[in-house]
């Protein structure tokens, strides 16, 4: 089962899209992929799959890809694991990329294994750092257990070196090239899957007002200390123009939807201001908010770990502190208007 | 197909997340300090398997891969109501990453003639979430990940899963056999019945399979794992001001300064 790793070259980035809209992580991976390709002296190739999505292939080139591969067919909309996996696998086996980056979204993590398993590729999940070593080997780093440690995963003798990468950890690439160049650098590939081959059918898809806490500048998060009443957290987030988030404790209790969970089993956020209200500061939670510029903690327990990881802290009940804070902010806003 | 489904639930023994410590000298995890427990998301998988059996009939078989003490998590599943358990145990499995691990589970599921394989969303120790799609990929089966709830349609040989997707949900009908990854916290696992629990701990003995029983002895273990751990670093803590304020006015001032 040994392969000649020298047969494999280039950095591929999967451009995740739904109904023609690119997931933000796609452009974040493209900018990181550009860096890696420049370091190894290889090409950066974007892979776009969907129905009527040539505009995204062109946008990927405008944002820095050397080429884009476009698999355009109705079988790819809406997303399903088996046609995506099968098409991607066929392209990987035919064209032999060295590095493949996929967003660590539900979609990316759903189908990455369907490429890696038949290709016997190394797949590292949910990475937060990527680099290449002197020999051009991908160093994919990810937080392990509780986030206190970073494990670096290598894939010395299998190809491609695949990684799913967490949203929000890299800055998105910007469009720099003009559209004329872009269209010429898009190659439409042969679609190898048909509707008859698929194993699943999407019966219903309900997606609205996508909550993306990973992009927010201000996040107000509540935890167990909210005791079932998230109103003060929602009010403060509104007053600050930020997003509501929560610790796992609050999500497990059903006070807040899972899409707003911050932490190891939730999302990574890196806002300018993170307000942690009624959150004790378990390491699993800290892992998801450690990249925030400023952290404010509100907790009744003066010994709560969160105070050690906050810039400003106040010992108090969030049901008293937050409404008072919200009132002051609103007052100032009224004066300003 | 009305005589029920062969439901396989994959469970994993992990160190209790709350008790894992970091060795300050080496930066590695002291996993051995922590008591071993059933991976928390797998409780949701077991509950789903039992609820599915109630809905369509059939059997629930728990499987795990690990050293002999991993039998304990099969006992937990049997105590909760699983009909039986299979322990995949063999030195040949040692050092397996997600590729050979999902291969072993896939072959075992095939051996058990599974209609549905249910897993937890991910394990709390390695948290890759790659094993359920890996099982499906090895066997060429359909898959449903991030599942909030299941709706069986036995007359059509189909399992419908409501999946959590970014910003909403989707309902996907998957052909059998299918591999399901239940979202962590998707249901409320039932408590183990006392009699069943006593049976699990005193009388139940798992079926044991080795790598050669599954004819994969030369495809598992460290040597067949594409990924290698290249190093472990202690994450550098972010330096914070750690200023305590006494009243909300001060807090307000600080927030206005940084905004």
């Amino acid at each position: 089962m040994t392969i000649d790793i020298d047969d494999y070259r280039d950095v591929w980035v999967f451009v995740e899209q739904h109904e023609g809209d690119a997931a933000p992580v796609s452009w974040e991976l493209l900018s990181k992929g550009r860096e890696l390709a420049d370091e190894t002296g290889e090409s950066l190739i974007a892979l776009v799959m969907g129905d009527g999505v040539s505009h995204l292939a062109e946008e990927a080139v405008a944002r820095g890809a050397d080429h884009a591969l476009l698999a355009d067919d109705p079988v790819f909309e809406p997303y399903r694991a088996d046609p995506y996996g099968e098409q991607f696998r066929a392209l990987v086996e035919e064209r032999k990329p060295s590095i493949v980056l996929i967003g660590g979204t539900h979609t990316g993590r759903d189908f990455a294994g369907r490429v890696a398993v038949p290709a016997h590729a190394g797949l590292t999940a949910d990475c937060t750092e990527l680099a290449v070593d002197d020999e051009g080997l991908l160093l994919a780093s990810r937080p392990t257990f509780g986030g206190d440690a970073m494990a670096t995963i290598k894939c010395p003798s299998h190809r491609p070196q695949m990684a799913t990468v967490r949203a929000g950890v890299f800055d998105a690439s910007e469009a720099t090239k003009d559209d004329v160049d872009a269209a010429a650098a898009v190659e439409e590939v042969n679609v190898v899957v048909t509707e008859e081959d698929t194993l699943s059918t999407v019966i219903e898809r309900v997606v609205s007002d996508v909550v993306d806490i990973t992009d927010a500048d201000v996040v107000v998060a509540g935890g167990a200390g909210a005791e079932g009443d998230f109103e003060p957290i929602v009010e403060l987030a509104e007053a600050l123009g930020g997003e509501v988030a929560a610790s796992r404790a609050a999500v497990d209790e059903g006070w807040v939807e899972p899409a707003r969970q911050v932490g190891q089993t939730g999302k990574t956020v890196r806002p300018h201001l993170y307000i942690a209200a009624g959150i004790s500061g378990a390491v699993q939670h800290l892992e998801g908010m450690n990249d925030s510029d400023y952290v404010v903690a509100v907790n009744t327990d003066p010994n709560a770990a969160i105070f050690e990881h906050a810039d400003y802290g106040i010992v108090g009940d969030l049901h008293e502190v937050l409404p008072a804070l919200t009132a002051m902010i609103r007052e100032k806003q009224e004066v300003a208007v | 197909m009305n005589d029920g489904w062969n439901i396989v639930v994959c469970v994993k023994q992990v160190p209790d997340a709350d008790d894992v410590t970091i060795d300050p000298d080496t930066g590695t995890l002291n996993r051995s300090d922590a008591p071993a427990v059933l991976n928390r998301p797998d409780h949701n998988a077991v509950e789903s398997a039992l609820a599915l059996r109630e809905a369509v009939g059939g059997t629930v078989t728990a499987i795990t891969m690990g050293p002999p003490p991993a039998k304990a998590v099969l006992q937990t599943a049997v105590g909760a109501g699983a009909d039986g358990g299979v322990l995949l145990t063999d030195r040949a499995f040692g050092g397996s990453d997600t590729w050979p691990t999902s291969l072993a589970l896939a072959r075992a599921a095939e051996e058990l003639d599974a209609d549905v394989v249910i897993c937890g969303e991910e394990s709390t120790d390695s948290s890759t979430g790659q094993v359920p799609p890996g099982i499906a990929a090895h066997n060429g089966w359909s898959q449903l990940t991030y599942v909030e709830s299941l709706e069986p349609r036995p007359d059509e040989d189909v399992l419908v899963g409501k999946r959590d997707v970014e910003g909403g949900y989707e309902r996907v009908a998957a052909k059998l056999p299918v591999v399901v990854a239940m979202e962590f916290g998707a249901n409320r696992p039932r408590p183990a019945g006392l009699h069943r629990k006593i049976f699990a701990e005193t009388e139940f003995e798992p079926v044991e399979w080795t790598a050669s029983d599954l004819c994969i002895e030369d495809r598992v273990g460290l040597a067949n794992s594409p990924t290698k751990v290249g190093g472990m670093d202690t994450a550098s803590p972010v330096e914070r001001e750690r200023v305590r304020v006494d009243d909300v006015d001060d807090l307000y001032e600080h927030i206005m300064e940084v905004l």
Side-chain angles (χ1 to χ4, degrees):
Chain A
M1 210 157 330
T2 49
I3 56 155
D4 188 353
I5 60 173
D6 295 332
D7 289 348
Y8 291 75
R9 55 184 294 111
D10 298 336
V11 178
W12 282 21
V13 167
F14 172 65
V15 177
E16 179 181 336
Q17 62 81 30
H18 298 280
E19 292 177 10
D21 293 329
V25 67
S26 307
W27 308 137
E28 295 164 15
L29 292 188
L30 206 60
S31 71
K32 191 66 193 178
R34 184 72 264 167
E35 275 177 43
L36 299 176
D38 289 344
E39 260 179 78
T40 58
E42 297 178 337
S43 296
L44 174 66
I45 296 174
L47 176 57
V48 179
M49 295 164 67
D51 184 18
V53 288
S54 58
H55 63 286
L56 293 177
E58 290 173 24
E59 186 171 351
V61 173
R63 286 177 185 259
D66 294 306
H67 312 283
L69 301 176
L70 172 65
D72 209 315
D73 192 278
V75 77
F76 299 123
E77 186 67 42
Y79 164 82
R80 285 170 296 174
D82 50 305
Y84 267 67
E86 182 56 22
Q87 178 70 42
F88 203 151
R89 180 197 64 78
L91 286 168
V92 160
E93 288 185 356
E94 180 192 318
R95 298 173 188 240
K96 299 185 166 50
S98 177
I99 292 173
V100 172
L101 307 180
I102 297 170
T105 60
H106 284 194
T107 296
R109 295 180 75 181
D110 188 54
F111 86 96
R114 292 199 87 106
V115 184
V117 161
H120 206 172
L123 171 57
T124 306
D126 218 18
C127 301
T128 55
E129 284 175 32
L130 297 170
V132 286
D133 71 7
D134 300 341
E135 292 154 27
L137 209 56
L138 181 69
L139 305 173
S141 301
R142 60 192 304 265
T144 69
F145 227 141
D148 276 358
M150 291 288 287
T152 298
I153 311 295
K154 293 190 215 183
C155 178
S157 52
H158 292 70
R159 291 292 181 276
Q161 308 164 84
M162 296 179 61
T164 57
V165 183
R166 226 176 245 204
V169 295
F170 300 119
D171 290 324
S173 61
E174 302 293 335
T176 51
K177 300 184 207 164
D178 66 52
D179 293 346
V180 182
D181 288 331
V186 174
E187 177 190 351
E188 198 153 346
V189 301
N190 186 32
V191 173
V192 300
V193 291
T194 65
E195 191 56 46
E196 290 72 50
D197 297 334
T198 60
L199 302 170
S200 53
T201 310
V202 177
I203 304 174
E204 183 188 16
R205 193 175 155 89
V206 180
V207 179
S208 60
D209 296 337
V210 180
V211 178
D212 187 6
I213 59 170
T214 63
D215 267 355
D217 273 341
V218 175
V219 171
V220 185
E227 295 175 333
D229 176 15
F230 249 63
E231 201 53 35
I233 294 145
V234 173
E235 295 272 327
L236 179 58
E238 268 177 22
L240 290 169
E243 283 287 356
V244 172
S247 69
R248 200 184 80 192
V251 172
D252 282 356
E253 291 291 341
W255 303 335
V256 179
E257 66 262 38
R260 295 185 188 272
Q261 185 185 326
V262 170
Q264 192 192 16
T265 51
K267 302 225 159 70
T268 299
V269 295
R270 43 174 203 176
H272 186 59
L273 172 65
Y274 188 85
I275 301 179
I279 290 174
S280 60
V283 287
Q284 289 88 348
H285 183 79
L286 297 174
E287 187 198 314
M289 44 69 81
N290 254 339
D291 289 339
S292 308
D293 294 338
Y294 296 99
V295 176
V296 169
V298 180
N299 205 297
T300 51
D301 175 8
N303 299 316
I306 191 73
F307 288 120
E308 299 301 306
H309 301 271
D311 294 292
Y312 307 109
I314 184 166
V315 177
D317 186 343
L318 70 93
H319 294 97
E320 290 160 19
V321 175
L322 265 49
L325 203 53
T326 303
M328 286 180 205
I329 293 161
R330 291 225 163 106
E331 200 175 317
K332 189 189 174 190
Q333 284 166 344
E334 273 167 29
V335 172
V337 171
Chain B
M1 178 155 171
N2 290 316
D3 52 348
W5 285 354
N6 288 334
I7 303 160
V8 168
V9 59
C10 298
V11 292
K12 185 182 184 188
Q13 189 174 50
V14 297
D16 193 345
D18 297 336
D19 285 315
V20 172
T21 56
I22 308 270
D23 184 320
D25 296 328
T26 62
T28 56
L29 301 167
N30 292 324
R31 294 187 185 210
S32 54
D33 291 356
V37 294
L38 174 61
N39 179 44
R40 249 180 251 150
D42 295 351
H43 286 283
N44 299 117
V46 171
E47 174 57 35
S48 300
L50 298 174
L52 200 57
R53 183 184 64 189
E54 282 160 12
V56 300
T59 57
V60 172
T61 307
I63 56 176
T64 194
M65 186 171 112
K71 174 189 168 186
V73 292
L74 296 175
Q75 288 174 317
T76 306
V78 168
D83 298 286
V86 178
L87 175 63
L88 308 181
T89 191
D90 194 331
R91 286 195 178 278
F93 291 133
S96 291
D97 73 356
T98 56
W99 196 98
T101 300
S102 52
L103 173 68
L105 294 167
R107 287 294 169 267
E110 226 169 23
E111 199 65 34
L112 292 164
D113 199 19
D115 296 296
V116 180
V117 177
I118 306 187
C119 308
E121 177 177 322
E122 59 182 37
S123 61
T124 52
D125 58 348
S126 47
S127 59
T128 70
Q130 278 167 204
V131 167
I135 296 169
H138 276 295
N139 284 349
W141 292 354
S142 60
Q143 70 185 53
L144 296 165
T145 58
Y146 302 102
V147 171
E148 295 171 353
S149 59
L150 291 171
E151 177 202 329
R153 294 186 183 171
D155 296 339
E156 302 164 42
D157 274 356
V158 157
L159 181 62
V160 177
K162 183 181 172 192
R163 301 185 62 224
D164 178 55
V165 295
E166 272 79 15
Y169 69 88
E170 63 181 18
R171 285 170 60 239
V172 179
K175 286 181 191 163
L176 302 187
V178 57
V179 181
V180 176
M182 286 306 293
E183 194 160 58
F184 182 41
N187 52 35
R188 293 216 174 262
R190 66 194 68 186
L194 184 59
H195 286 95
R196 193 70 196 161
K197 204 172 164 205
I198 292 169
F199 166 79
E201 283 166 14
T202 58
E203 290 176 52
F204 161 75
E205 280 301 326
V207 173
E208 289 190 15
W209 286 340
T210 63
S212 50
D213 289 336
L214 298 171
C215 303
I216 50 172
E217 64 273 26
D218 53 358
R219 302 180 69 197
V220 293
L222 188 64
N224 293 289
S225 296
T227 60
K228 315 282 177 203
V229 177
M232 203 74 131
D233 286 317
T234 307
S236 48
V238 182
E239 278 306 309
R240 297 288 177 193
E241 301 283 339
R242 288 190 258 171
V243 175
R244 290 283 176 109
V245 298
D246 292 326
D247 60 46
V248 181
D249 290 314
D250 283 353
L251 193 62
Y252 171 79
E253 292 301 328
H254 283 299
I255 288 174
M256 286 304 122
E257 268 171 37
V258 302
L259 275 184

